[in-house]
């Protein structure tokens, strides 16, 4: 077994460094700038049940230690995704590297997206990821992240509908996030993936107006890493499901820190924007670390700071 | 890739020209493309800054004309020759022009002059007659950055209100127009050229996070046969046809 090999429930990845959804395109867009074979996996940009045009500009801006953004989940919907985008993703990534991220307004919409994906590409992907942090027309943003009952129902339905591993990705910026995670862990979900991005705002002094067209948006990047660290720490004590951290990971040291707090794998998001080749660099750093520390497997570090 | 700063030269109180040695980039860059410049290590300036290729010798050297508007561009003014700067590029689509030389009009609003210089160099080399309309006149010190000043027919507009008048004059027997500058100005140029049926390309700007088409941060509303849709300024642009750009309506 390779010392970086990472198990998230039934899914096995070559290493614990994952390209986070929305920050890694669909893999193939990155091929020119990085070595995709070095990614543990790539969560493709979330596809929603109905195509979404996305939010009006401006959509991104720099803040201290990161960015504020409001993309509005722009995507062309499942038909274009399955017909045109998936074939390109398959040509750029190996089977064990592809995680398909889906989102809908209702449990039924999520389930149908999972089923359509698996019918077409079930033997060519590693897992599906339920993006529960997204806007929800009927119940408001993050409904499936903050309603424990709805979250459990969602994950149970998806797990029952498809054979492939199922990840649940949620935003921990709700007071009851441990309750939600506990409810979800009871479904046998393969991994819980956290996006720890709080909402923020920035105002343009010259225009005297909010910078973002959508006025508000999540903050990500190194600035939020300590928040993510605490959430992973608390989640590790609350549930026994494999955890994936995301929030400000930029270096191999950040990945190790998240693992010590309890993450089995780490999603790298916005750090790829300024440095599209950063994931291979992080993985090389981890390889050197394992060698230096004479570890049989990096996985022995998961949660080690609790012991 | 790394580009070595060969020299920098202050053009106006707030505009600086940076010349880099980087054969890998200079050999590929086309007019209208841009580079993403890393400001340095650390979390304090997280994103790169998108800057147009101002000029390029096609072999080893390229330059950037940068206006100091904030902390990042301020930091750049402290860069000493010999410094190795991390750049990504060339990025984006760039300008296109017909093979057969003719008459063209370049319209630059302020620092929007930046991407038009390399274009002018290439057009002149291919035998085009190049007219440059610069606005506003009070910033005309910026024209000192132009290497091929004598070969251009240069006119200045006092301000945005005066611009359409001068533009009308310059459009006489023009085959195509290329413009970069504030959106209000670009809208005026688009309207004027469309009324006259003269093909026009606009270099657009948006805040960017990645510059390579993965974040969807640089959305611009564009008319397509399928209707109004968002495209990426970094990948589908930054250059768009005037009739494509939707200045107000969003999808
Ligand atoms: C394709 C493209 C080509 C450009 N070419 C040039 C050029 O040749 N010369 C030049 O001087 N400027 C150019 N710009 C604008 C330049 O990118 C910004 O002025 C620069 O990023 C500001 O950085 P700052 O840290 O100094 O300012 P900040 O303090 O970050 O912000 C000051 C202002 O700069 C703009 N800005 C900030 N960050 C970005 C960003 N990531 N993307 C776009 N705009 C931003 C905003 O309007 C903001 O109000 C170009 C922009 C784009 C998108
Ligand atoms: C521009 C942008 C787009 C994103 N799009 C998605 C998305 O479509 N689906 C999703 O699950 N997360 C999305 N995210 C969240 C990231 O996957 C990640 O969880 C978050 O940015 C925190 O990680 P980071 O600090 O490393 O960026 C997006 C983040 C950014 C910055
Ligand atoms: S800046 Fe990221 S897609 Fe254009």
């Amino acid at each position: 077994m390779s010392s970086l090999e990472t198990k998230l429930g039934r899914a096995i990845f070559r290493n614990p460094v994952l390209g986070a959804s929305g920050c890694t395109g669909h893999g193939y867009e990155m091929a020119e700038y990085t070595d995709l074979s070095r990614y543990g996996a790539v969560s493709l940009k979330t596809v929603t049940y109905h195509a979404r045009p996305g939010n009006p500009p401006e959509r991104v801006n720099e803040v201290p230690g990161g960015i504020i953004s409001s993309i509005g989940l722009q995507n062309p919907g499942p038909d274009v995704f399955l017909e045109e985008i998936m074939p390109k993703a398959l040509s750029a990534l190996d089977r064990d590297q592809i995680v398909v991220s889906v989102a809908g307004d209702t449990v039924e919409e999520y389930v149908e997206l999972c089923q359509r994906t698996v019918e077409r590409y079930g033997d060519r992907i590693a897992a599906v990821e339920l993006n529960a942090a997204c806007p929800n027309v009927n119940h408001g943003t993050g409904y499936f992240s903050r309603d424990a009952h709805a979250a459990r129902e969602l994950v149970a339905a998806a797990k029952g509908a498809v054979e492939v591993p199922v990840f649940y990705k949620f935003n921990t910026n709700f007071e009851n996030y441990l309750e939600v995670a506990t409810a979800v862990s009871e479904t046998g979900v393969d991994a819980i993936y956290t996006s720890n991005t709080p909402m923020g705002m920035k105002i343009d002094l010259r225009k005297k107006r909010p910078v973002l067209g959508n006025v508000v948006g999540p903050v990500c990047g190194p600035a939020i890493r300590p928040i993510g660290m605490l959430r992973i720490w608390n989640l590790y004590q609350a549930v026994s499901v494999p955890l994936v951290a995301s929030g400000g990971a930029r270096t191999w040291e950040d990945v190790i820190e998240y693992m010590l707090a309890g993450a089995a794998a780490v999603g790298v998001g916005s750090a790829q924007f300024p440095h599209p080749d950063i994931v291979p660099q992080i993985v090389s750093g981890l390889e050197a670390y394992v060698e230096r520390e004479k570890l049989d497997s990096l996985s022995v570090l998961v949660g080690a700071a609790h012991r | 890739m790394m580009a070595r700063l060969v020299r920098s030269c202050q053009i106006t109180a707030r505009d600086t020209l940076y010349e880099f040695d980087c054969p890998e980039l200079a050999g590929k860059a086309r007019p209208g493309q841009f580079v993403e410049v890393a400001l340095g290590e650390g979390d304090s300036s997280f994103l790169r800054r998108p800057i147009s290729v101002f000029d390029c010798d096609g072999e080893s050297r390229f330059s950037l004309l940068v206006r100091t508007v904030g902390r990042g561009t301020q930091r750049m003014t402290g860069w000493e020759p010999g410094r190795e700067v991390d750049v990504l590029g060339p990025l984006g689509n760039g300008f296109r022009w017909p093979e057969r030389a003719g008459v063209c009009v370049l319209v630059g609003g302020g620092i929007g002059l930046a991407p038009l210089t390399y274009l002018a160099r290439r057009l002149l080399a291919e035998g085009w007659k190049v007219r440059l309309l610069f606005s506003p006149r009070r910033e005309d010190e910026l024209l000192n950055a132009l290497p091929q000043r004598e070969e251009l027919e240069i006119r200045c507009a006092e301000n945005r209100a005066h611009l359409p008048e001068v533009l009308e004059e310059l459009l006489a027997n023009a085959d195509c127009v290329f413009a970069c500058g504030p959106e209000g100005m670009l809208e005026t140029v688009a309207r004027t050229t469309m009324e006259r049926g003269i093909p026009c390309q606009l270099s657009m700007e948006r805040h960017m996070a990645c510059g390579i088409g993965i974040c969807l941060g640089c959305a611009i509303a564009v008319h397509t046969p399928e209707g109004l849709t968002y495209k990426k300024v970094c990948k589908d642009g930054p250059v768009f046809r005037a009739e494509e750009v939707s200045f107000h309506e969003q999808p």
Side-chain angles (χ1 to χ4, degrees):
Chain A
M1 178 182 136
S2 145
S3 54
L4 294 194
E5 193 170 281
T6 299
K7 270 184 77 173
L8 299 178
R10 294 166 291 165
I12 298 176
F13 298 109
R14 56 191 74 177
N15 68 57
V17 188
L18 316 181
S21 180
C23 301
T24 325
H26 308 93
Y28 67 86
E29 299 95 328
M30 303 277 289
E32 198 182 325
Y33 302 97
T34 190
D35 180 358
L36 285 169
S37 73
R38 302 285 280 164
Y39 279 70
V42 171
S43 296
L44 309 184
K45 173 74 189 173
T46 300
V47 58
T48 54
Y49 191 78
H50 296 290
R52 290 174 60 94
N55 287 333
E58 297 283 346
R59 289 182 174 182
V60 292
N61 212 279
E62 190 175 78
V63 293
I67 67 171
I68 182 166
S69 67
S70 69
I71 308 300
L73 225 51
Q74 177 183 334
N75 78 94
D79 294 341
V80 174
F81 175 77
L82 294 171
E83 291 296 329
E84 295 171 27
I85 293 177
M86 270 305 282
K88 291 193 225 169
L90 292 173
S91 68
L93 298 161
D94 292 334
R95 192 207 64 82
D96 64 314
Q97 291 182 298
I98 302 179
V99 177
V100 175
S101 170
V102 302
D105 260 345
T106 61
V107 170
E108 292 71 28
E109 288 184 2
Y110 276 96
V111 166
E112 194 181 321
L113 284 171
C114 291
Q115 285 172 326
R116 284 184 67 184
T117 302
V118 169
E119 266 165 33
R120 250 330 251 286
Y121 300 110
D123 55 349
R124 313 279 299 276
I125 65 172
V128 292
E129 185 172 299
L130 308 172
N131 175 356
C134 57
N136 187 294
V137 173
N138 301 315
H139 303 279
T141 297
Y143 172 57
F144 289 105
S145 283
R146 60 180 151 78
D147 187 307
H149 180 77
R152 176 173 31 210
E153 196 195 345
L154 169 67
V155 180
K159 273 218 69 194
V162 291
E163 285 292 324
V164 300
V166 174
F167 301 162
Y168 168 75
K169 183 174 181 189
F170 82 133
N171 195 324
T172 58
N173 279 292
F174 298 105
E175 266 179 31
N176 62 341
Y177 72 98
L178 292 175
E179 183 201 334
V180 172
T182 306
V184 166
S185 70
E186 288 159 4
T187 63
V189 70
D190 291 274
I192 293 181
Y193 198 140
T194 64
S195 126
N196 301 296
T197 52
M199 293 303 262
M201 180 185 253
K202 184 175 175 179
I203 294 173
D204 186 321
L205 297 195
R206 271 169 288 193
K207 296 182 184 154
K208 301 188 171 62
R209 287 281 308 143
V211 166
L212 295 178
N214 188 48
V215 183
V216 300
V219 178
C220 64
I224 68 161
R225 194 164 60 234
I227 300 174
M229 208 60 69
L230 174 60
R231 301 279 155 78
I232 288 292
W233 174 272
N234 288 339
L235 282 164
Y236 185 77
Q237 293 183 335
V239 299
S240 53
V241 173
L243 300 170
V244 184
S246 80
R250 219 167 54 97
T251 64
W252 66 267
E253 290 96 328
D254 301 339
V255 171
I256 298 284
E257 187 183 352
Y258 264 130
M259 294 183 90
L260 292 170
V266 177
V268 177
S270 48
Q272 298 177 101
F273 297 158
H275 299 290
D277 60 346
I278 205 158
V279 165
Q281 290 177 32
I282 295 173
V283 173
S284 297
L286 293 177
E287 284 167 346
Y289 177 81
V290 163
E291 181 107 3
R292 234 178 10 255
E293 299 285 315
K294 301 193 171 42
L295 297 176
D296 291 334
S297 163
L298 206 52
S299 58
V300 300
L301 296 181
V302 176
H306 294 262
R307 297 191 274 273
Chain B
M1 72 188 73
M2 302 308 277
R4 192 169 46 84
L5 182 63
V6 183
R7 65 185 190 107
S8 65
C9 164
Q10 195 166 350
I11 304 291
T12 78
R14 54 175 182 163
D15 299 290
T16 309
L17 186 67
Y18 301 87
E19 190 177 332
F20 294 91
D21 188 74
C22 182
E24 203 183 336
L25 204 148
K28 281 191 287 191
R30 286 180 281 110
Q33 289 191 299
F34 65 100
V35 297
E36 282 273 8
V37 181
L39 297 172
E41 270 314 298
D43 294 349
S44 58
S45 60
F46 187 66
L47 295 176
R48 290 170 186 262
R49 296 295 186 269
I51 307 287
S52 305
V53 174
F54 173 72
D55 203 2
C56 180
D57 68 2
E59 283 170 17
S60 61
R61 298 221 168 158
F62 73 92
S63 57
L64 309 175
L65 180 64
V66 182
R67 174 158 292 183
T68 308
V69 296
R71 284 223 257 163
T73 46
Q74 178 68 46
R75 172 129 30 120
M76 289 176 74
T77 60
W79 287 357
E80 299 285 342
R83 185 188 177 95
E84 296 282 334
V85 177
D86 176 359
V87 295
L88 204 60
L91 305 172
N93 60 356
F95 295 107
R96 310 263 159 200
W97 57 93
E99 246 169 60
R100 207 167 66 92
V103 178
C104 72
V105 179
L106 314 183
V107 187
I111 190 65
L113 181 68
L116 302 175
T117 302
Y118 183 25
L119 176 65
R121 175 184 292 286
R122 293 284 300 273
L123 289 168
L124 287 168
E126 293 180 23
W128 285 74
K129 191 167 172 340
V130 183
R131 298 171 182 156
L132 171 66
L133 168 51
F134 181 78
S135 173
R137 185 189 299 278
R138 67 185 137 79
E139 289 186 23
D140 65 1
E141 223 188 326
L142 198 57
L143 296 171
N144 292 334
L146 290 178
Q148 57 298 71
R149 223 177 148 165
E150 279 70 46
E151 299 164 69
L152 306 173
E153 182 189 332
I154 301 180
R155 293 283 303 275
C156 287
E158 297 305 327
N159 50 39
R160 195 176 298 164
H162 182 222
L163 185 127
E165 199 181 307
V166 190
L167 181 60
E168 285 287 349
E169 290 171 31
L170 291 181
L171 286 181
N173 72 18
D175 297 297
C176 49
V177 175
F178 305 91
C180 182
E183 259 190 54
M185 185 202 91
L186 295 180
E187 193 178 0
T188 304
V189 174
R191 197 174 47 239
T192 312
T193 53
M194 283 185 325
E195 279 165 14
R196 305 274 298 256
I198 301 172
C200 173
Q201 291 169 33
L202 309 174
S203 179
M204 305 302 294
E205 212 184 295
R206 284 289 180 275
H207 286 195
M208 294 183 173
C210 72
I212 60 171
I214 54 172
C215 74
L216 304 179
C218 59
I220 182 169
V222 167
H223 298 286
T224 70
E226 291 78 41
L228 198 58
T229 180
Y230 282 125
K231 288 201 171 181
K232 302 171 197 168
V233 169
C234 72
K235 199 83 186 168
D236 305 311
V239 179
F240 294 90
R241 286 180 292 111
E243 57 274 21
E244 280 183 295
V245 177
S246 165
F247 286 95
H248 302 286
E249 207 190 335
Q250 305 294 326

